[in-house]
Amino acid sequence: MRTPLVIIGALLLPVALTLSAAVSAVLLAGHGACPGPSRPHVPGARILAMSVVGHPDGMGGRALITGVPAFCDVTIVLTHPPLRDRVRIEVWLPRSTWNGRFQATGGGAFAAGEFERALVPAVRRGYAAASTDAGVPGRPGGPPVWALRRDRTVNEGLLANFAYRSVHDMSRIGKQVVAGFYGRPPAYSYFTGCSTGGRQGLIEAQRYPGDFDGILAAAPAADWNRLTLAQFWPQVVMNEAGVYPTACEFAAFNRAAIAACDGDDGRRDGIIGRPDACRFDPGQLVGTSVRCHGRTIRISRADADIVRRIWAGPTTRAGKRLWYGLPRGASFSWLAGTTKPLLGARRGAPLPVAADWIRDFLLRQPHADVSTIGYAEFERLFDESQARYDAVIGSDNPDLSAFRAAGGKMITWHGLADPVIFPQGTVDYRRRVESAMGGAAATDRFYRVFLAPGVGHCSGGSGPVPTDPLAALVDWVEHGRAPDTLPAATGAHPNISGDLCRYPQQAAADRHCH
């Protein structure tokens, strides 16, 4: 979900060469020639077009991307009859620096792939790499303009592309293109992604366990049909209260929580190391004053109650928990955003992904006003999202026996101050996998989770961020060395460092995992 994201660089106007099934060709571009691999075969799909473009060192005309070795870009467009979709897949192939591996990459928010943003670092490291748009136009952070047909019914075919089909197609096509280009298949195949990409990684292990030798599924947006509603919960709480605190007021509660719970893990480092154990009561701030934008604001009981409900997470009106809430210490700005127009009162500013899921897939009205949704309607929408979409995009099946049998290895890491995807959802999934797969020790043989105190969504925050989790995955897959820790570092607070511990272990005051 990573919202908003900036795509690095600008696309060249493609110099395309359409290839027939039986003819290979050579296209001269820049200073090199790229041999055209044979057209791949994808069961259930039909190839519409295939082109090859060569890029010399430095990416040629892509001026904002530098330091990339010479590579060939194979672009394939396919469709899934009778859907009439147009799925674009790009496979970047290093000319002389290939490390023998294939890396498929994931997307963010409603975008199934990130192309340059993901492919540039992969090619720099010698991987043949691929990305796909799943046939759903848009960009990370943009609305799902593909969601509804003209008759306002949900486009189930494109939703299936986005939910699970596209990465499987990319895996099959990517490996065929690699084998045709280099004359041999990749020795190992990997998938990497965070957020939506993390969800794609989990669903690959669940639905297509033989696609990849290793999967790096960071901060996964699993339980999508519940998660997106839970992301909207802070707006519902404010709608019901009729109170919309400013970001400055919300920040005061986080500062107080950090001050109260910083030492719970035995270290005083400005980070809540165990948000689930933090018992700070927001009611303690009632009546205190904070300075916001040159004026003094007194914290009200309504403010404290809003924060308490946001931290607790969504419930039914009867008090049954529906999903997890924002962890203490995570920024409120993404999910509990508010705005003040020039005329009128302050109002909510929901996370676009959450609001768009409700508008397009539940209400089926792209321009619906969601600012009036209260507890009763929220509960109804939550139930509908579960009933209609769990089988398509739930992405939370804990039975990974086929993935284990195929020899796959998977690593998930998740920031404990993630303001968009709740880390307790990842912990919940790991616990359910343990129950299904024979316990913690049996699960650790093929699936390991690492939690990052103080880290935000996929990166950032105050805590140490994993420096190279893919290297740890490669070492596990290719050499059998399962990681007990992930090296991590931070630029925000240079005095804070330390490796991430394998779940359920946590770093103590001595910085060792216990």
Side-chain angles (χ1 to χ4, degrees):
M1 290 186 179
R2 229 169 319 176
T3 315
L5 293 175
V6 177
I7 301 298
I8 304 173
L11 292 176
L12 285 172
L13 290 175
V15 181
L17 180 65
T18 301
L19 303 179
S20 68
V23 179
S24 64
V26 172
L27 177 67
L28 296 178
H31 301 292
C34 286
S38 299
R39 186 183 295 245
H41 172 68
V42 183
R46 181 166 59 89
I47 305 299
L48 298 177
M50 181 171 171
S51 65
V52 185
V53 176
H55 296 279
D57 294 355
M59 288 288 289
R62 303 187 188 193
L64 297 182
I65 304 175
T66 59
V68 182
F71 70 94
C72 296
D73 176 355
V74 177
T75 298
I76 292 168
V77 179
L78 62 82
T79 187
H80 301 91
L83 186 56
R84 296 184 181 178
D85 57 340
R86 293 181 63 86
V87 178
R88 177 169 67 100
I89 297 172
E90 285 193 29
V91 186
W92 288 14
L93 305 155
R95 294 297 304 272
S96 60
T97 58
W98 186 43
N99 61 18
R101 305 179 180 102
F102 170 65
Q103 179 182 343
T105 62
F110 280 110
E114 296 178 5
F115 293 94
E116 284 91 344
R117 189 181 190 277
L119 297 179
V120 165
V123 170
R124 280 176 177 160
R125 297 181 65 164
Y127 287 85
S131 187
T132 179
D133 69 359
V136 294
R139 56 179 176 77
V145 296
W146 49 270
L148 298 175
R149 302 184 184 94
R150 291 182 179 179
D151 62 358
R152 295 289 180 87
T153 59
V154 173
N155 194 321
E156 293 89 353
L158 291 184
L159 179 60
N161 280 3
F162 173 70
Y164 59 85
R165 182 161 48 202
S166 60
V167 175
H168 182 49
D169 284 349
M170 174 171 56
S171 167
R172 294 185 291 183
I173 281 180
K175 286 184 275 192
Q176 289 180 59
V177 168
V178 167
F181 186 84
Y182 295 109
R184 58 187 173 95
Y188 298 96
S189 296
Y190 297 92
F191 177 86
T192 61
C194 189
S195 194
T196 286
R199 178 193 62 75
Q200 291 168 316
L202 290 187
I203 210 163
E204 272 291 305
Q206 296 161 17
R207 285 181 178 257
Y208 307 108
D211 278 357
F212 298 103
D213 301 296
I215 293 174
L216 178 61
D223 296 279
W224 177 283
N225 46 309
R226 286 188 284 184
L227 170 65
T228 47
L229 270 295
Q231 290 171 328
F232 194 76
W233 172 251
Q235 300 293 320
V236 175
V237 172
M238 293 187 292
N239 290 345
E240 278 280 349
V243 176
Y244 300 88
T246 65
C248 178
E249 292 168 85
F250 278 127
F253 286 97
N254 259 341
R255 288 194 300 270
I258 292 172
C261 300
D262 182 6
D264 287 356
D265 59 354
R267 294 185 291 179
R268 303 291 300 185
D269 51 13
I271 293 172
I272 300 179
R274 298 172 182 173
D276 58 330
C278 180
R279 295 294 177 260
F280 169 72
D281 180 3
Q284 295 178 31
L285 287 192
V286 174
T288 63
S289 298
V290 294
R291 194 74 178 162
C292 295
H293 307 296
R295 64 191 186 98
T296 300
I297 298 177
R298 188 175 296 276
I299 299 297
S300 69
R301 190 161 299 280
D303 295 332
D305 187 56
I306 286 170
V307 169
R308 184 181 293 108
R309 287 176 177 269
I310 290 173
W311 280 343
T315 65
T316 65
R317 286 165 291 171
K320 177 186 176 182
R321 187 176 73 181
L322 297 173
W323 197 238
Y324 299 96
L326 190 70
R328 285 168 169 80
S331 171
F332 287 85
S333 297
W334 293 68
L335 305 186
T338 62
T339 184
K340 174 65 172 69
L342 291 176
L343 298 176
R346 180 170 291 277
R347 61 173 182 257
L351 182 74
V353 170
D356 288 337
W357 179 259
I358 291 172
R359 290 189 184 105
D360 291 311
F361 292 92
L362 299 176
L363 299 177
R364 293 177 288 285
Q365 300 175 33
H367 304 293
D369 179 8
V370 297
S371 66
T372 60
I373 294 176
Y375 293 143
E377 186 175 5
F378 176 83
E379 190 172 335
R380 180 187 66 77
L381 292 170
F382 194 99
D383 288 344
E384 181 182 347
S385 189
Q386 271 290 91
R388 290 194 62 179
Y389 297 111
D390 187 62
V392 180
I393 201 169
S395 318
D396 60 352
N397 182 357
D399 183 0
L400 299 179
S401 54
F403 182 68
R404 178 179 61 187
K409 301 291 186 289
M410 183 160 63
I411 290 176
T412 288
W413 74 267
H414 204 143
L416 286 176
D418 192 326
V420 181
I421 298 176
F422 314 118
Q424 279 303 108
T426 289
V427 172
D428 178 270
Y429 180 69
R430 161 68 197 214
R431 288 173 176 167
R432 289 189 296 109
V433 172
E434 289 178 7
S435 296
M437 302 302 298
T443 301
D444 276 342
R445 295 190 185 102
F446 69 95
Y447 178 38
R448 297 195 171 196
V449 171
F450 299 83
L451 302 178
V455 176
H457 186 52
C458 297
S459 64
S462 301
V465 179
T467 53
D468 197 349
L470 178 56
L473 179 63
V474 169
D475 198 35
W476 190 9
V477 168
E478 299 180 18
H479 304 290
R481 292 188 283 261
D484 284 322
T485 59
L486 287 185
T490 178
H493 297 274
N495 60 318
I496 301 175
S497 62
D499 296 345
L500 303 185
C501 301
R502 169 173 54 88
Y503 174 84
Q505 296 182 351
Q506 295 174 315
D510 60 4
R511 300 193 183 278
H512 291 109
C513 297
H514 299 279

